[in-house]
Amino acid sequence: ARVAAAGFSDNPVPLLKGKWWNVPKQVHKVLYLDFENMGAMELKKQTFQSGYIPEAKADECRANLIMKDVSEFGIDFSLPENHQKILDMIEDAKKNEGIPGKAVDLLVIDTYTGLVRTETPATPANFKDLIDKIRKMGIAILITHHANSGNEIRGLHSKLDKIALTINISRNEAKDDGNLDEQPCFVKYELPRYPMRSELKKPFEIIFDSNHRQWMLTDKEHNADSEFTLIVEEYKKLKFGREAICQMVGLGKSS
């Protein structure tokens, strides 16, 4: 919802105030494929979208946030003979949903095990081939996956070759989980495939504000501007120029 809202609001609501989690201010199309939450799609929309979608442009924004319940297919989409079904959904979203002709910018796969129809740690060899096909189309991919009781991602390492960053979100297992607005989640960056300063990698806590329907940092000391400075310095070390950095941090050239 936050990604789709970027092009429809003068001042999009930050995903997390105090963190520089940003996207370029332009129109984005998001295709969200839900492989396991049968019948829960409308509830998820009501709970987690409205806090980030501008009221004045709600219809246009929601049209570019395409959520499909594909849990009833019951097939392993990682198999080569099924790759085209995913690619067809991407093409259909481009042609027939939201702004006609606007390509999909972000594909969300929820969850990995729902996509490949397995709960075992084994990674289908063709999964990486499917991801490569989608990345070559210029589409970013967000894959959600469940951890086990030890907070370890099942079969994680074997499927990370093509993934830029893992974000581990967990709860305190010593306590009763309760509702999202009753107990914070812990966020930790893991296995980045590019340089990331230790200051940026520090774990932090978030909690869902059910009144505003937004995610909040529990620690108010975080400062998005300070984090922005660290990110820009890292990109400069990697010899990126101003225009490229502006694009990556979600700012216009003159910002």
Side-chain angles (χ1 to χ4, degrees):
R2 173 60 182 82
V3 172
F8 295 97
S9 174
D10 291 335
N11 296 294
V13 176
L15 182 60
L16 286 171
K17 293 178 181 177
K19 299 291 289 182
W20 194 272
W21 284 14
N22 207 1
V23 291
K25 186 183 171 183
Q26 61 193 53
V27 174
H28 300 283
K29 187 176 283 187
V30 180
L31 176 60
Y32 184 112
L33 300 182
D34 193 322
F35 291 87
E36 63 176 28
N37 295 290
M38 300 177 70
M41 191 70 75
E42 288 306 314
L43 178 60
K44 291 175 73 174
K45 289 181 181 180
Q46 294 171 17
T47 305
F48 298 112
Q49 288 185 11
S50 61
Y52 300 96
I53 293 178
E55 292 184 15
K57 295 281 187 177
D59 291 343
E60 298 96 318
C61 185
R62 289 185 188 278
N64 267 12
L65 176 52
I66 304 150
M67 301 184 74
K68 292 185 178 293
D69 185 343
V70 291
S71 55
E72 296 182 353
F73 275 80
I75 60 174
D76 179 354
F77 281 96
S78 70
L79 297 176
E81 60 266 29
N82 294 327
H83 287 186
Q84 193 58 45
K85 292 182 174 64
I86 296 286
L87 301 180
D88 287 346
M89 282 188 265
I90 293 172
E91 186 63 20
D92 182 64
K94 173 184 176 180
K95 291 181 177 179
N96 303 315
E97 304 198 55
I99 297 176
K102 174 73 180 83
V104 170
D105 298 287
L106 172 65
L107 172 69
V108 182
I109 294 174
D110 184 8
T111 62
Y112 169 80
T113 47
L115 176 83
V116 301
R117 303 291 295 176
T118 179
E119 288 294 329
T120 67
T123 301
N126 300 301
F127 169 74
K128 295 172 185 175
D129 293 336
L130 172 61
I131 296 304
D132 266 349
K133 290 177 183 177
I134 298 169
R135 290 174 63 220
K136 287 176 181 176
M137 298 167 70
I139 298 173
I141 309 169
L142 172 63
I143 304 168
T144 67
H145 192 33
H146 294 302
N148 60 23
S149 58
N151 198 29
E152 298 171 339
I153 309 302
R154 293 186 293 264
L156 173 69
H157 294 287
S158 57
K159 62 176 76 77
L160 277 185
D161 290 349
K162 305 293 183 181
I163 295 176
L165 176 68
T166 299
I167 300 177
N168 186 312
I169 306 175
S170 60
R171 309 286 289 276
N172 187 339
E173 295 205 6
K175 299 179 181 179
D176 178 63
D177 278 349
N179 295 324
L180 284 173
D181 56 354
E182 293 178 316
Q183 184 184 333
C185 296
F186 305 97
V187 182
K188 183 169 63 171
Y189 300 128
E190 297 180 341
L191 304 172
R193 291 181 63 91
Y194 51 86
M196 181 180 267
R197 290 172 176 242
S198 58
E199 188 68 24
L200 288 174
K201 290 176 69 174
K202 286 183 178 178
F204 54 93
E205 292 183 5
I206 60 174
I207 196 165
F208 189 69
D209 182 336
S210 57
N211 292 322
H212 295 90
R213 297 191 177 183
Q214 295 173 12
W215 288 96
M216 304 286 184
L217 286 159
T218 61
D219 179 4
K220 306 302 181 183
E221 298 301 314
H222 284 274
N223 184 294
D225 290 338
S226 298
E227 184 165 285
F228 164 80
T229 300
L230 291 173
I231 294 170
V232 170
E233 287 177 358
E234 201 69 64
Y235 283 143
K236 285 181 177 178
K237 277 187 177 180
L238 295 172
K239 307 301 182 184
F240 285 106
R242 179 183 176 83
E243 186 172 336
I245 294 174
C246 284
Q247 184 177 5
M248 290 187 288
V249 298
L251 293 176
K253 297 178 186 178
S254 61
S255 296

